[in-house]
Amino acid sequence: MPATTAGSRRLTLALATVTALALGATACGGTTKDDASKDSGSAAVGKADPDAKTKKGLTVAFLPKQVNNPYFTTADKGGEKALRELGSTYKEVGTSSGTDTAGQVSYVNTLTQQQVDAMAVSAQDPGALCTALKQAMRNGVSVVTYDSDTNKDCRQVFVSPASAEDLGRTQVELLAKQIGGKGEIAILSAAQTATNQNTWIDFMKKELEKPAYKDIKLVKVAYGDDDAQKSFQQTQGLLQEYPNLKGIISPTTVGIKAAAQYLSGSKYKGKVKLTGLGTPNDMRAYVKNGTVEEFELWEPAKLGALAAHAAVALESGQITGRKGETFTAGDLGTVTIGADGVVSPGEPTVFDKANIDEYDF
Amino acid sequence: MPDTSVKSPVLSRLGGAVRWDTSVGALLVVLLICSFSFVENFGNALNVSFLIGNTLPIALIALPMAMLVVSGEVDLSVASTAGLSSAVMGALWNAGMAIETIIPLCVLLGVVCGLVNGLLVTRLGLPSLAVTIGTLGAYRGIAQIVLGSDSVTDFPAQYLDFGAGRFGDTFLPYAVVPFVILLAIAVVVLHATRFGRSLFAVGASEEAARFAGVRVKRLKLAMFVSTGVVSALTGVFWTLHYASARYDNATGLELSVIAAVLLGGIDFDGGKGTLGGAVAGVFLLGTMQNVMSLLNVSAQSQTVATGVLLVVSVLAPRIGRRISQARARGRTAAPPPLTAPSP
């Protein structure tokens, strides 16, 4: 077919031209990762007045990673309660998928439009929300992130679940105790990009460097993407790949539940130890049937409450998000802002057979 | 087009007056007027720029998609192509390549994705629905292999500003410029060239078009490649707009695009529709979504509303046509063509 050959020749020519142009552009020196300058302007502006009166009648919106996710529902309820006590209004919006970053951006934009006074956001992606959040702050909206942070110049305060260091190190302590201080262990995380997970895992690795853990070997970090099915399969894969595995740490509520589900139905039940971060309601059955001895979590309601208090304190001008500033947060007492505008509600709670029935979330 | 031959002059005049795409355009105008008057915070420049910015990815892909559907084919892999383009962009950026090189390479990637779809459909004669469901999965999978679940956010500021910024304090995002250019090209090509007329002809009856001398396969291949290129460009725009290159960018966008195109009156069977209608459909959906968000309608209810609108948009023109056909038949049936001796 002569016509086709002519056509494909023309196509080849076009492709060649595009490639040549592209390479030409590089030769002429384009913008690469190295020359992209980073503007790291601090979000905190103005002066804090710790004695300023706490404002009432504010509207604070919560934008969780995912609505109808039990963990965030509990956290946001904590925020709602705190706001009611402070005399302000609570509202919650968000996407039904945990990875719909475009949807989350458009919710931030909508809240900016609706002129809420402050928003508490749990970011699905550290970078994607930045432009929208900066725009919100320029329009006078105070921005707090909770549970999952954005880049630090895109919000004023980050409410971290518990100090990242505490969380990372204590999970290793819990597992080491359960496996008698020796053997191969693995980590089942959420997404490879999840900032909080990665920080905890770094602290776990640091903790493991201590001489006390010289007989423990971390063989793999697996990623279940906070998807129950995928986490289940990853657990199965870990046990097949490492027959001598003694324990798994899963610092994600979805991951630990899926891993517990797999272990509890397999021959490894009770033999391979599992710990990490889970909710009492998710894990109750597995603690009672002997699959899991101990796991831990901060109380999400406290997290939400602290986010609410931080939002109101920002909007009242009591804090700006700088290190060393303090504000009062109801039952949580006085909170001091740490480096990079991070605050946290304190040490995580450890759950076991003895105390798990005291909690309902 | 089998049904247009038997229409009474009255009915065809009526049909012309209430054409579906015209009514969608009118509906969009009504919705905009109502929103400007009654929805708080809708009318200011910032919100309108949000609306346009969020709708642009759909609008961009809707252009070639409308033309593809007119020719009787469909491409479900557009969102995956955009995701792949985004992932490749992130990976190359991380590898230290210049963004001025990466963007043309992404376009090239779009050509390749489109060629794969187009060749499978035209050379192997497979239905495009099946082929592109396959490549929908494949391209997304490759995207995940390329970038993993990483997200790349540190693109150069001037490009990010282009992706997310707007002209001063007006409601127009910068990215409207390339869209308007592409729109102009698409309108001219579809409605004022032989290529466009051939697309309609192929969509109406492929066989007839072939006998009339239209190079059907080449035409379709060209449309698949164009769709691939625009999808890849949309992936680049998406990355800059949301300042985040991820393999799962634009997931599910193909459904919004097809919903908008069908809503705009492009017939899923091919051969009918206008680009004006398609663009009106896109912005009708976009505006509805924006208004529903401002009115605090939950995400779930928004999805339901969009779904219902889509079903209605597919049903309504069909029912209309069915009715006009039935009427036409009623008239012609009165004096039945008996045993007229045909030569």
Side-chain angles (χ1 to χ4, degrees):
Chain A
M1 286 189 289
T4 322
T5 0
S8 55
R9 210 176 295 145
R10 234 177 295 144
L11 187 69
T12 323
L13 192 67
L15 293 192
T17 319
V18 174
T19 321
L21 281 177
L23 293 177
T26 332
C28 298
T31 325
T32 63
K33 197 177 172 72
D34 295 334
D35 20 89
S37 62
K38 284 187 187 158
D39 54 328
S40 50
S42 175
V45 282
K47 260 195 130 35
D49 173 13
D51 301 323
K53 207 164 150 271
T54 304
K55 284 191 188 163
K56 285 183 192 286
L58 302 171
T59 303
V60 179
F62 275 70
L63 176 52
K65 264 189 194 172
Q66 186 180 23
V67 289
N68 297 332
N69 168 324
Y71 169 79
F72 282 108
T73 305
T74 312
D76 293 1
K77 284 223 174 84
E80 183 177 14
K81 186 164 163 272
L83 285 170
R84 206 183 310 124
E85 287 162 7
L86 288 166
S88 286
T89 313
Y90 158 93
K91 75 182 232 171
E92 186 197 41
V93 293
T95 61
S96 42
S97 147
T99 55
D100 179 9
T101 45
Q104 220 183 10
V105 169
S106 85
Y107 273 111
V108 172
N109 289 342
T110 304
L111 292 174
T112 308
Q113 273 317 110
Q114 293 175 334
Q115 293 157 10
V116 295
D117 296 297
M119 56 175 106
V121 181
S122 183
Q124 289 175 356
D125 182 304
L129 289 173
C130 264
T131 314
L133 289 178
K134 282 180 178 168
Q135 203 149 31
M137 290 190 283
R138 270 203 303 278
N139 282 281
V141 181
S142 299
V143 175
V144 174
T145 50
Y146 69 109
D147 188 70
S148 274
D149 201 6
T150 56
N151 300 340
K152 63 175 188 288
D153 53 333
C154 312
R155 46 76 180 160
Q156 288 155 292
V157 170
F158 170 48
V159 183
S160 174
S163 106
E165 177 155 8
D166 276 353
L167 280 171
R169 293 188 189 269
T170 51
Q171 288 178 66
V172 172
E173 280 169 22
L174 281 180
L175 187 65
K177 196 169 67 183
Q178 293 177 26
I179 63 172
K182 65 172 145 199
E184 294 182 349
I185 64 165
I187 294 172
L188 174 64
S189 179
Q192 212 165 347
T193 46
T195 336
N196 50 1
Q197 303 272 329
N198 290 339
T199 322
W200 300 332
I201 292 172
D202 284 342
F203 279 114
M204 289 181 202
K205 288 179 179 162
K206 276 191 196 137
E207 179 73 12
L208 284 168
E209 283 165 9
K210 286 187 181 167
Y213 305 112
K214 65 179 189 326
D215 293 329
I216 295 181
K217 191 175 162 227
L218 174 64
V219 290
K220 185 169 182 177
V221 181
Y223 297 93
D225 287 339
D226 262 352
D227 175 282
Q229 196 187 5
K230 198 163 175 195
S231 306
F232 189 91
Q233 286 163 353
Q234 291 287 333
T235 314
Q236 196 174 16
L238 281 175
L239 291 164
Q240 272 160 6
E241 201 176 341
Y242 304 100
N244 294 324
L245 201 67
K246 287 283 180 292
I248 299 174
I249 299 177
S250 185
T252 142
T253 55
V254 179
I256 193 174
K257 187 183 177 191
Q261 197 187 349
Y262 177 77
L263 288 177
S264 122
S266 76
K267 60 180 179 186
Y268 306 103
K269 178 178 167 183
K271 295 193 186 96
V272 173
K273 303 296 182 182
L274 172 67
T275 192
L277 307 177
T279 70
N281 287 355
D282 275 352
M283 302 302 290
R284 189 164 287 120
Y286 304 112
V287 169
K288 295 205 164 156
N289 77 9
T291 311
V292 174
E293 279 177 35
E294 281 181 326
F295 63 97
E296 63 179 14
L297 194 67
W298 57 91
E299 290 176 42
K302 281 190 192 170
L303 185 72
L306 187 54
H309 280 287
V312 171
L314 276 171
E315 197 57 31
S316 306
Q318 293 159 349
I319 54 171
T320 59
R322 279 204 198 87
K323 188 180 171 182
E325 294 171 353
T326 58
F327 63 100
T328 51
D331 306 340
L332 301 166
T334 304
V335 179
T336 309
I337 299 178
D340 294 334
V342 180
V343 294
S344 81
E347 298 236 320
T349 314
V350 175
F351 305 99
D352 58 19
K353 234 178 207 160
N355 73 355
I356 196 163
D357 283 333
E358 295 164 23
Y359 296 91
D360 181 22
F361 65 90
Chain B
M1 285 188 283
D3 57 84
T4 44
S5 49
V6 279
K7 254 191 189 171
S8 73
V10 182
L11 270 175
S12 69
R13 220 180 303 139
L14 197 71
V18 290
R19 265 178 31 183
W20 179 256
D21 49 353
T22 326
S23 14
V24 171
L27 202 59
L28 174 61
V29 173
V30 171
L31 178 63
L32 283 174
I33 292 174
C34 288
S35 311
F36 271 113
S37 342
F38 302 119
V39 180
E40 204 185 345
N41 300 321
F42 178 85
N44 62 53
L46 189 60
N47 184 58
V48 178
S49 79
F50 288 154
L51 192 172
I52 298 175
N54 287 341
T55 316
L56 268 181
I58 302 174
L60 281 166
I61 301 185
L63 298 175
M65 182 70 90
M67 295 166 75
L68 195 61
V69 175
V70 160
S71 79
E73 302 290 345
V74 71
D75 185 349
L76 293 179
S77 71
V78 285
S80 299
T81 306
L84 178 55
S85 162
S86 179
V88 165
M89 192 172 164
L92 292 180
W93 176 253
N94 269 348
M97 198 181 265
I99 192 135
E100 291 80 0
T101 319
I102 296 174
I103 294 176
L105 286 179
C106 283
V107 172
L108 201 63
L109 178 82
V111 172
V112 174
C113 290
L115 268 179
V116 171
N117 287 334
L119 289 174
L120 284 173
V121 170
T122 57
R123 301 295 149 192
L124 299 184
L126 302 171
S128 57
L129 203 63
V131 166
T132 57
I133 285 178
T135 50
L136 176 153
Y139 296 162
R140 188 69 74 185
I142 299 171
Q144 195 175 7
I145 293 169
V146 168
L147 195 62
S149 25
D150 244 342
S151 76
V152 183
T153 58
D154 54 347
F155 294 102
Q158 70 270 30
Y159 283 87
L160 293 180
D161 288 346
F162 176 78
R166 54 195 174 115
F167 291 103
D169 277 336
T170 66
F171 63 91
L172 282 179
Y174 295 126
V176 148
V177 175
F179 170 71
V180 169
I181 295 172
L182 282 176
L183 174 65
I185 296 174
V187 167
V188 169
V189 168
L190 184 63
H191 295 298
T193 63
R194 235 186 73 174
F195 183 89
R197 282 195 296 282
S198 308
L199 283 179
F200 279 105
V202 170
S205 165
E206 196 171 321
E207 204 121 325
R210 192 176 300 120
F211 284 128
V214 175
R215 288 206 166 93
V216 175
K217 286 182 179 175
R218 202 199 281 181
L219 198 75
K220 285 188 174 173
L221 190 60
M223 268 332 297
F224 274 107
V225 171
S226 316
T227 311
V229 167
V230 177
S231 304
L233 273 176
T234 306
V236 171
F237 168 66
W238 184 290
T239 308
L240 297 176
H241 186 68
Y242 295 113
S244 181
R246 295 166 65 109
Y247 86 89
D248 59 357
N249 271 355
T251 302
L253 193 74
E254 67 279 349
L255 295 181
S256 308
V257 172
I258 290 170
V261 163
L262 296 188
L263 177 62
I266 308 276
D267 193 321
F268 201 63
D269 295 337
K272 277 194 213 76
T274 60
L275 271 173
V279 172
V282 168
F283 282 97
L284 185 62
L285 275 186
T287 310
M288 269 183 48
Q289 209 148 38
N290 182 283
V291 168
M292 286 193 285
S293 301
L294 282 178
L295 295 178
N296 292 323
V297 177
S298 75
Q300 292 87 334
S301 316
Q302 290 191 23
T303 316
V304 174
T306 317
V308 169
L309 193 67
L310 177 60
V311 172
V312 170
S313 72
V314 176
L315 268 183
R318 265 163 215 251
I319 292 175
R321 212 179 308 146
R322 195 66 67 76
I323 292 172
S324 66
Q325 266 172 350
R327 281 204 202 152
R329 212 173 298 128
R331 291 195 178 197
T332 46
L338 291 171
T339 49
S342 52

